[in-house]
Amino acid sequence: ANNAVVSWAELAQRVALAAGYNTNAVKAVPAQAFGWPAARPKNSALRSERGILLPDLDNALERWLQATNYTYQ
């Protein structure tokens, strides 16, 4: 675990930024807009108080992009 708490939209924006895409293309959409029959939690962030502290999310994204040899085209 790390100290970051982000929404799905914020995660998508960080991935887009790290990969060199325009973050304005990522639009946050509330779960209610999808019309799912089951109720969704308003806050589904996971946290661990006993786990080891991992590098921050942006660092993890950069390492993943490097490990996959991702290049923006």
Side-chain angles (χ1 to χ4, degrees), residues 24-39:
N24 291 329
V26 178
K27 302 294 181 207
V29 178
Q32 298 85 359
F34 291 106
W36 291 324

Side-chain angles (χ1 to χ4, degrees), residues 4-63:
V5 176
V6 297
S7 68
W8 284 107
E10 290 167 327
L11 176 61
Q13 288 173 335
R14 286 186 181 199
V15 170
L17 180 64
Y21 288 96
N22 181 353
T23 59
N24 291 329
V26 178
K27 302 294 181 207
V29 178
Q32 298 85 359
F34 291 106
W36 291 324
R40 300 293 189 246
K42 291 184 187 276
N43 182 355
S44 61
L46 300 177
R47 119 166 45 169
S48 174
E49 294 178 3
R50 293 185 251 163
I52 60 170
L53 189 62
L54 298 174
D56 67 28
L57 177 59
D58 295 319
N59 176 276
L61 289 173
E62 286 296 328
R63 288 183 294 114

